Amino acid sequence: SQTIHQWPATLVQPVGSPLSLECTVEGTSNPNLYWYRQAAGRGLQLLFYSVGIGQISSEVPQNLSASRPQDRQFILSSKKLLLSDSGFYLCAWSRSRTYEQYFGPGTRLTVT
Amino acid sequence: AQKVTQAQTEISVVEKEDVTLDCVYETRDTTYYLFWYKQPPSGELVFLIRRNSFDEQNEISGRYSWNFQKSTSSFNFTITASQVVDSAVYFCALSEAYSGAGSYQLTFGKGTKLSVIP
């Protein structure tokens, strides 16, 4: 069976500090990978998606970036965090050519 | 552009009552997929159902049922005999069949927070 991991689970970072969130998927190969952000009291916003190693598509221009160094690893980064980056970050995967996305447990980021 | 509207922001019901969560969508595609996800207080989104645009059959899974009506662009979700464990935020989502990149992006509604009171 497939599992998806995210870490850390919670993070408190000062404004201007760097960020690295990691997501890994087990039990499948060549998944589509996604990063979403959920701000308090709001819906989910797709930030990035990837259909393969090194292939990243950005949905929202901002100070965040994503990378996919390995087939089942997806990293969300920032060089300098803003207050507005606070939120709940969810990683998801889906099999190529099918449509359900399966979500990880999320990382709750607070920028102070 | 595709859009999903969940007009009910919050709903409270007493345990054992039935409750229906509304979802209205907009898309110009003739082929698309609709989803429901559950987000319990722990935060992780749990996939509940996928329905494609060619299949308007209603679906029942235990206490859960879904009513898909293309004529009104709605995909409503009913929980029968609600339980406290059903308390969560429920999201409806839409995916068009082809995004041009081999990936299938979901457009989510803003969610409906369901509280089931014992």
Side-chain angles (χ1 to χ4, degrees), chain A residues 66-79:
Chain A
S67 62
R68 185 171 176 173
Q70 300 180 41
D71 181 45
R72 289 168 288 174
Q73 184 184 31
F74 204 24
I75 296 172
L76 183 70
S77 304
S78 174
K79 291 182 180 177

Side-chain angles (χ1 to χ4, degrees), chain A residues 46-58:
Chain A
L46 178 64
L47 302 175
F48 302 94
Y49 67 92
S50 171
V51 300
I53 296 174
Q55 300 178 61
I56 309 294
S57 297
S58 173

Side-chain angles (χ1 to χ4, degrees), chain B residues 18-113:
Chain B
D18 299 347
V19 58
T20 295
L21 309 182
D22 298 332
C23 173
V24 174
Y25 63 91
E26 295 175 28
T27 177
R28 280 180 270 188
D29 272 18
T30 55
T31 303
Y32 52 90
Y33 296 81
L34 295 163
F35 306 81
W36 275 95
Y37 283 85
K38 174 182 179 180
Q39 187 176 37
S42 61
E44 182 174 347
L45 266 80
V46 177
F47 166 70
L48 296 178
I49 189 172
R50 180 186 76 177
R51 172 64 72 207
N52 72 55
S53 53
F54 298 122
D55 182 2
E56 287 193 71
Q57 257 191 326
N58 291 333
E59 177 141 347
I60 298 174
S61 176
R63 296 185 297 107
Y64 294 172
S65 62
W66 290 270
N67 181 270
F68 175 32
Q69 294 197 346
K70 286 180 78 169
S71 60
T72 56
S73 297
S74 65
F75 186 43
N76 297 337
F77 173 30
T78 297
I79 302 175
T80 303
S82 59
Q83 300 176 2
V84 173
V85 293
D86 296 326
S87 296
V89 179
Y90 291 86
F91 290 95
C92 180
L94 166 71
S95 174
E96 292 169 343
Y98 182 68
S99 71
S103 178
Y104 304 96
Q105 301 168 61
L106 294 179
T107 296
F108 284 86
K110 293 192 183 301
T112 297
K113 182 178 181 181

